[in-house]
Amino acid sequence: MPRMRLTRRDPSSTPLPYTASPLLLLCRDILLFVKYAWTLPGILLPLRLGRTTPLDELYPSWRSLVSFSAQVFLTISQVLFLISIPFTIILLLPAVWIFAYIFAGIAINFAICMLVLNGPERVLVSRVPVPSRPEHEHERWFFINGVANSKFWLQNNIDQLSYSFGRKITAIHNRTAGLVFDLIECLIQRGFAYATGDVRRAYVLLKQELLNPDCHKVVIILHSQGGIEGSLVIDWLLDELPQDLLTKLEVYTFGNAANHFNNPRQSSFCQPVTRSIRHIEHYANYGDAVSHLGVLHFTYVPNRYLGSLFIRPGTGHMMNQHYLDTMFTLGSDLRVLESNPFMDMEVDVKRVDLSVEHDGHRDMTLLPVPDREVRSLGLDQGQNKSPQILRVKDFSRLWQYRNGGSPDVIHRQ
């Protein structure tokens, strides 16, 4: 695979500010979708059908097949439904009939989604038994899912996260309305900064825990459209809460579809420079279309997308099957293996912003080098000593949480 490059683009091609006209943002998003259409197969590929586990999205279980079949049916029916609407106008049908037809189509779609895919629960909790540890008692972990995610798949997401990090995970269900309608919702959320019900629920839960004096750390993991919703929640939290409470928050995203990710400086006089949220990390597959529409497209814009970016030279967008399985690989004992190809990759740091360093943490873009053309990044230790080989795991804070670990405990040691 050729080495990847994220280069700073011509100023004339700089994306519109996320505060620009919603209609202009909507048009730009549509053009962006066309531009990166070549990456669409990378959403589902590789299928890895022969190596899936029961927690993977495409594992051939009965409930997984029901979810997948329902999404295929909804995708086809939604495309036909949207195409048919202009014809009702061309045929000069009475306005009452047209509205009744649209209402009936949306109502039937909603009923199918509620009965087959979503269910009544808006908040789910992982079912994995985790060992009780004193350092975990004051932590709260949350997850917001991406598009087309049924309740069954979401439960598998948080169960795998719980196995990976040894904590109870609470999920705010970003309910699916079918793939096509979910994508339309993404465009509305990004362009109009529209907060849907799950955004508002997530805001309430996170704010409640950040204000809770017994809670010392709040971790939120976001996937796909969940990144859009998480960015809106963070905007609200930055407006509402004092800085000392925001330092309890940590954010980790996978295949982030947001068009911005704010994290302002605490003070213009503070040296070294500190940010309101101390730790933000983004993980992206280079061949993932959603990442190209979000984090990979906007990360080069100054002060637009804060946080360290870890890029894996692979494809796939599904949370368990393409991200957790490749970056936090579980062994047969359902514990994260101490080694996997991504975390063991040597890295080529293409951009390091020293102005945001705090307690040894820096925002940076990490590009793994699979062909080993770049053997290491120098931390020169003397003329007679070879440079230290740096790997992805040396920079990833989330990696230190595997199997119930804690980077804060490691730091104190």
Side-chain angles (χ1 to χ4, degrees):
M1 178 179 293
R3 198 180 310 167
M4 299 170 294
R5 289 288 183 265
L6 286 183
T7 57
R8 198 171 294 276
R9 306 177 190 184
D10 184 85
S12 62
S13 66
T14 299
L16 289 169
Y18 66 91
T19 53
S21 163
L23 292 177
L24 284 178
L25 288 171
L26 181 62
C27 292
R28 282 292 183 92
D29 279 347
I30 294 173
L31 292 175
L32 193 63
F33 178 83
V34 174
K35 178 180 179 180
Y36 290 112
W38 62 272
T39 62
L40 289 177
I43 293 178
L44 291 176
L45 301 176
L47 297 177
R48 301 176 66 250
L49 296 180
R51 292 178 291 163
T52 55
T53 69
L55 293 175
D56 287 340
E57 288 83 355
L58 296 184
Y59 182 79
S61 67
W62 169 248
R63 295 187 66 184
S64 182
L65 290 172
V66 168
S67 294
F68 185 79
S69 299
Q71 286 292 353
V72 171
F73 171 78
L74 288 172
T75 299
I76 296 172
S77 62
Q78 288 170 0
V79 170
L80 295 176
F81 173 69
L82 293 175
I83 292 175
S84 69
I85 292 176
F87 286 98
T88 63
I89 300 174
I90 294 173
L91 294 174
L92 299 177
L93 295 178
V96 175
W97 291 12
I98 295 174
F99 285 119
Y101 173 71
I102 294 174
F103 177 81
I106 294 175
I108 293 172
N109 186 90
F110 176 81
I112 293 173
C113 290
M114 284 298 297
L115 294 174
V116 180
L117 296 173
N118 292 324
E121 296 91 350
R122 300 299 296 266
V123 178
L124 283 71
V125 179
S126 57
R127 302 170 298 188
V128 174
V130 294
S132 177
R133 299 189 183 188
E135 62 267 28
H136 296 173
E137 293 178 359
H138 304 287
E139 296 181 4
R140 303 293 184 271
W141 287 57
F142 295 93
F143 175 70
I144 303 179
N145 61 279
V147 300
N149 215 5
S150 67
K151 175 188 173 183
F152 172 72
W153 281 334
L154 176 60
Q155 187 68 58
N156 284 350
N157 289 156
I158 57 177
D159 285 349
Q160 183 153 341
L161 286 168
S162 187
Y163 282 124
S164 299
F165 303 114
R167 274 90 167 172
K168 182 178 75 172
I169 310 292
T170 299
I172 299 95
H173 191 186
N174 167 27
R175 288 176 170 176
T176 180
L179 179 60
V180 176
F181 286 179
D182 285 352
L183 293 177
I184 293 173
E185 183 181 68
C186 286
L187 293 174
I188 295 172
Q189 286 178 327
R190 278 187 21 153
F192 293 81
Y194 177 68
T196 51
D198 30 291
V199 176
R200 299 172 187 276
R201 186 175 297 270
Y203 167 72
V204 170
L205 291 176
L206 264 67
K207 183 179 179 180
Q208 175 182 305
E209 294 300 340
L210 289 170
L211 290 171
N212 180 3
D214 292 330
C215 178
H216 302 162
K217 180 185 296 185
V218 178
V219 177
I220 182 167
I221 300 174
L222 309 169
H223 174 234
S224 184
Q225 184 189 7
I228 302 175
E229 301 194 350
S231 71
L232 296 176
V233 171
I234 289 172
D235 289 345
W236 286 1
L237 294 175
L238 291 169
D239 286 341
E240 292 278 337
L241 296 184
Q243 298 286 337
D244 60 324
L245 294 181
L246 288 171
T247 59
K248 299 195 296 184
L249 182 62
E250 297 185 15
V251 186
Y252 303 96
T253 79
F254 295 86
N256 196 337
N259 62 4
H260 73 281
F261 225 85
N262 284 325
N263 190 17
R265 295 172 59 166
Q266 285 191 335
S267 170
S268 59
F269 302 103
C270 185
Q271 292 295 333
V273 172
T274 56
R275 298 280 176 177
S276 298
I277 303 170
R278 298 295 173 84
H279 303 286
I280 299 178
E281 291 180 353
H282 307 287
Y283 295 81
N285 287 330
Y286 187 73
D288 175 7
V290 178
S291 293
H292 276 285
L293 297 173
V295 61
L296 295 182
H297 182 75
F298 296 102
T299 192
Y300 70 90
V301 182
N303 296 315
R304 174 75 172 254
Y305 228 99
L306 278 298
S308 296
L309 171 61
F310 297 80
I311 304 175
R312 173 180 169 267
T315 61
H317 181 66
M318 288 180 281
M319 181 64 180
N320 287 6
Q321 196 157 325
H322 295 137
Y323 278 106
L324 294 181
D325 284 358
T326 58
M327 297 180 176
F328 298 87
T329 310
L330 295 178
S332 58
D333 58 352
L334 295 177
R335 289 175 58 84
V336 175
L337 300 175
E338 290 302 308
S339 176
N340 67 62
F342 173 68
M343 285 294 174
D344 289 340
M345 277 184 175
E346 300 168 18
V347 296
D348 182 10
V349 181
K350 305 306 298 180
R351 178 174 61 82
V352 179
D353 185 355
L354 296 177
S355 66
V356 296
E357 185 171 357
H358 175 74
D359 291 340
H361 173 72
R362 299 179 296 182
D363 282 0
M364 63 191 75
T365 297
L366 295 180
L367 293 151
V369 183
D371 53 14
R372 294 178 176 268
E373 289 181 12
V374 178
R375 288 291 305 168
S376 63
L377 273 180
L379 287 183
D380 291 332
Q381 301 173 357
Q383 294 181 350
N384 299 323
K385 294 184 180 180
S386 60
Q388 178 182 348
I389 294 177
L390 301 178
R391 304 183 186 279
V392 174
K393 63 175 63 175
D394 297 320
F395 296 92
S396 170
R397 179 176 175 88
L398 187 57
W399 175 253
Q400 297 179 59
Y401 282 112
R402 70 194 185 282
N403 301 325
S406 175
D408 299 312
V409 172
I410 294 173
H411 179 70
R412 288 197 295 270
Q413 293 175 345

